[in-house]
């Protein structure tokens, strides 16, 4: 039974998914359920449904700095790697929490915003209002 049916698009929900496919180091077991939400509404629904069914929740990003154990992760794993929109205004940027750090740094450069030069080679995701 898919407890997320009619709430989260089917293509975003994977069952018994090998997490080695979602981490840089390419080892580790499976997630019972792995979901890639792209909106705040979907994230809210996932948390509500997981709580309703008393399932543990784990959040990962791009998987650059995690080592998953062979036994995998029970319950619901949320990957925020597709929650990755960036809005740029005149003097600031708002990045959703799955944005590639390197993309943030590159976009800042394109818009002549300074301060994120140091991040141009750091792997992984970030999210913030950069001012
Ligand atoms: C080679 C290398 C160089 C690095 N250099 C630097 C550096 O110079 N400076 C620096 O600051 N960092 C550095 N880091 C750390 C790295 O930038 C951060 O760990 C990065 O943010 C991880 O992003 P990720 O999306 O891959 O997270 P993951 O590896 O997927 O997750 C890492 C941890 O963060 C948690 N997590 C991930 N996303 C979220 C979220 N949205 N909300 C809550 N929890 C979350 C996960 O549960 C996990 O515990 C480096 C890492 C590596 C591997």
């Amino acid at each position: 039974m898919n407890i997320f049916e009619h709430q989260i698009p089917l293509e975003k929900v994977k069952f018994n998914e090998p997490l080695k496919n979602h981490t840089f180091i390419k080892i580790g077991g499976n997630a019972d359920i792995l979901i890639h939400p792209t909106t705040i509404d979907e994230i809210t629904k996932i948390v509500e449904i997981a709580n309703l069914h008393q399932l543990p929740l784990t959040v990962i990003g791009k998987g650059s700095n995690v080592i998953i154990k062979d036994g995998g992760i029970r319950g619901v794993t949320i990957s925020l790697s597709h929650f990755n929109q960036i809005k740029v205004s005149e003097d600031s940027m708002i990045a959703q929490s799955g944005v590639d750090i390197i993309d943030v740094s590159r976009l800042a450069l394109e818009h002549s915003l300074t301060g994120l030069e140091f991040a141009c080679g750091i792997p992984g995701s970030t999210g913030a209002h950069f001012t």
Side-chain angles (χ1 to χ4, degrees):
M1 186 183 73
N2 179 1
I3 56 175
F4 295 98
E5 199 170 11
H6 307 306
Q7 303 292 328
I8 307 293
L10 286 177
E11 68 275 12
K12 296 181 182 176
V13 183
K14 292 180 175 159
F15 295 91
N16 210 22
E17 174 69 11
L19 286 166
K20 66 180 180 190
N21 297 338
H22 302 273
T23 61
F24 279 33
I25 201 163
K26 305 286 179 205
I27 60 168
N30 295 1
D32 290 343
I33 305 171
L34 176 67
I35 311 181
H36 283 93
T38 55
T39 66
I40 291 173
D41 187 46
E42 287 173 0
I43 295 169
T44 305
K45 279 182 187 157
I46 294 165
V47 173
E48 285 173 355
I49 293 167
N51 284 341
L52 186 70
H53 292 267
Q54 297 186 319
L55 293 172
L57 262 178
T58 304
V59 177
I60 61 170
K62 298 184 91 67
S64 74
N65 217 10
V66 287
I67 297 175
I68 308 293
K69 63 183 190 282
D70 290 345
I73 302 181
R74 303 287 70 79
V76 178
T77 302
I78 299 176
S79 167
L80 290 172
S81 61
H82 296 178
F83 184 63
N84 58 3
Q85 299 297 308
I86 310 178
K87 278 187 196 158
V88 184
S89 64
E90 197 177 320
D91 58 359
S92 73
M93 298 193 303
I94 298 177
Q96 292 181 336
S97 56
V99 168
D100 196 308
I101 300 168
I102 294 170
D103 288 345
V104 177
S105 180
R106 188 177 299 127
L107 206 61
L109 170 68
E110 285 170 16
H111 291 267
S112 303
L113 298 170
T114 61
L116 280 168
E117 299 82 355
F118 76 95
C120 67
I122 299 177
S125 62
T126 188
H129 186 181
F130 298 95
T131 55

